[in-house]
Amino acid sequence: MDSTGTLFMPPGRSTIAGDVDALFNFIMYASLGFFLIVVVTMIYFVIRYRRRGADATTPDLSHNLKLELIWSIVPTILVIIVFFWGFNLFMKMSIVPHDAYEVKVTAQQWFWSFSYPNGNTTVNELTVPAGRPVKLLMSSQDVIHSLFVPDFRIKMDVLPNRYTMTWFEAPETGTHNLFCAEYCGTSHSEMIGLVKVLTSEQFDKWLEEGESSGDGMTPAEYGQVLFKSKACNTCHKVDGVAHTGPALNGIMGISHKFTDGTSIVVDENYIRESVLNPQTKIVEGFQPVMPTFQGILSEKQIDALIAYLKSLEK
Ligand code: CUA
């Protein structure tokens, strides 16, 4: 990722970025100008008109029409400029071009999943073609999240029970950071991902191949890949330290105690159930916050994850 941003902005990598930056810079430098006018004048007046003795009196001033007109009219013109400039840009960012490529975005605590028109699904990684508008149709499974890609200058809330949308067009290939920009609970800060912009040929090839199917890997190796690519590692660590969820190394064959007082010896069926119906059994000391991975993981992938967990030492 190159880093030719400015002091105030990351590099602009979408067709809209230049317009956003221009308006931002206008507002910032205008504000800076007025800040200087106010502060410099203030300091000058404090010195020039300071009280010079016990019998110094304040002159009797009522008003100054010229001055009052200037400080009313000039700011009014400026805010009118900012309004029309901003409204124009807002409309440009809100109206999705007709030929946009549509990706369905689902946010949940605490990861992003992206579904493509051909059925591909990725987690925490949005892959898009360069030079083509991309529409993101977004909804949340739980609380309010916000999709934020600083390099594209787009940020849009993602809500439960309704769709929101945003769009962008990235002219060049590259990789960009994606963040959740709305506090959504314990692991909000880890609800991050990448946007990968490919050439349209690379993108078509990527669509066709889909995600890695684990060919040429052992089930445990494939499971390790999935543990990261499906974002299990956001909440579960494998170094023995509990995070949002329990640590998952060396859990096979040990006894887990649940919040309802029952307990079970961890086996394949328990892990499978925990992935597909995470709310059924909650390990003591943890919150019932895990989302279901039903429809996100295939049977083969669940097998691979179980093989991976079995391979981990305590
Ligand atoms: Cu999702 Cu913050």
Side-chain angles (χ1 to χ4, degrees):
M1 204 179 308
D2 71 28
S3 52
T4 52
T6 64
L7 178 61
F8 303 105
M9 286 286 198
R13 291 288 181 267
S14 71
T15 50
I16 210 92
D19 296 344
V20 174
D21 290 5
L23 178 55
F24 171 82
N25 286 328
F26 175 79
I27 295 173
M28 187 182 66
Y29 288 115
S31 305
L32 191 65
F34 279 100
F35 172 79
L36 289 177
I37 290 170
V38 170
V39 171
V40 170
T41 312
M42 187 177 73
I43 292 169
Y44 172 74
F45 280 13
V46 163
I47 296 164
R48 176 81 177 73
Y49 299 107
R50 69 188 186 278
R51 195 164 184 234
R52 286 163 202 269
D55 54 353
T57 50
T58 308
D60 185 26
L61 294 175
S62 62
H63 69 282
N64 184 323
L65 184 66
K66 207 165 108 192
L67 206 55
E68 283 161 13
L69 283 176
I70 291 173
W71 77 44
S72 301
I73 292 171
V74 172
T76 304
I77 291 172
L78 280 168
V79 294
I80 288 173
I81 290 174
V82 170
F83 171 77
F84 281 102
W85 194 345
F87 185 72
N88 204 337
L89 190 51
F90 175 77
M91 293 307 282
K92 220 163 138 181
M93 297 172 86
S94 303
I95 299 169
V96 184
H98 290 299
D99 58 342
Y101 184 80
E102 185 173 309
V103 178
K104 174 74 183 55
V105 179
T106 307
Q108 52 187 302
Q109 293 168 318
W110 286 279
F111 64 91
W112 300 97
S113 56
F114 303 100
S115 301
Y116 299 81
N118 74 340
N120 274 15
T121 301
T122 59
V123 171
N124 288 346
E125 203 170 286
L126 171 62
T127 304
V128 295
R132 185 170 171 193
V134 175
K135 171 184 175 181
L136 303 178
L137 184 64
M138 310 191 287
S139 63
S140 166
Q141 300 272 27
D142 36 53
V143 299
I144 301 176
H145 303 268
S146 180
L147 182 127
F148 181 32
V149 186
D151 290 357
F152 294 167
R153 310 289 190 266
I154 57 166
K155 176 154 71 177
M156 180 57 76
D157 275 9
V158 183
L159 312 175
N161 300 321
R162 66 176 280 190
Y163 295 111
T164 53
M165 57 193 76
T166 186
W167 75 277
F168 62 87
E169 179 179 335
E172 289 157 39
T173 59
T175 305
H176 309 279
N177 290 315
L178 179 155
F179 301 96
C180 179
E182 182 72 54
Y183 180 68
C184 55
T186 312
S187 295
H188 156 71
S189 64
E190 289 168 76
M191 196 168 162
I192 52 183
L194 291 175
V195 183
K196 291 197 166 165
V197 185
L198 306 177
T199 64
S200 54
E201 298 82 51
Q202 285 170 334
F203 180 72
D204 290 342
K205 192 157 163 268
W206 175 85
L207 265 189
E208 224 168 87
E209 287 172 355
E211 54 188 326
S212 164
S213 56
D215 292 340
M217 288 183 228
T218 67
E221 284 167 354
Y222 184 36
Q224 185 171 12
V225 171
L226 292 167
F227 196 75
K228 194 164 169 277
S229 69
K230 299 297 180 187
C232 311
N233 62 352
T234 307
C235 298
H236 296 287
K237 304 301 172 194
V238 292
D239 56 3
V241 183
H243 198 61
T244 309
L248 294 184
N249 53 318
I251 56 165
M252 275 295 181
I254 67 159
S255 182
H256 262 178
K257 230 178 151 214
F258 302 111
T259 47
D260 63 358
T262 61
S263 66
I264 207 172
V265 171
V266 175
D267 64 0
E268 288 84 349
N269 275 317
Y270 166 66
I271 295 178
R272 189 190 153 79
E273 180 188 67
S274 299
V275 170
L276 298 178
N277 296 303
Q279 306 301 325
T280 320
K281 298 185 175 73
I282 304 299
V283 176
E284 212 167 40
F286 293 92
Q287 298 295 314
V289 291
M290 178 163 160
T292 173
F293 281 76
Q294 203 128 35
I296 295 177
L297 294 171
S298 68
E299 284 300 317
K300 183 183 171 183
Q301 291 174 325
I302 295 173
D303 292 347
L305 281 167
I306 292 174
Y308 170 59
L309 294 186
K310 281 164 131 176
S311 75
L312 296 171
E313 311 266 311
K314 185 142 189 81

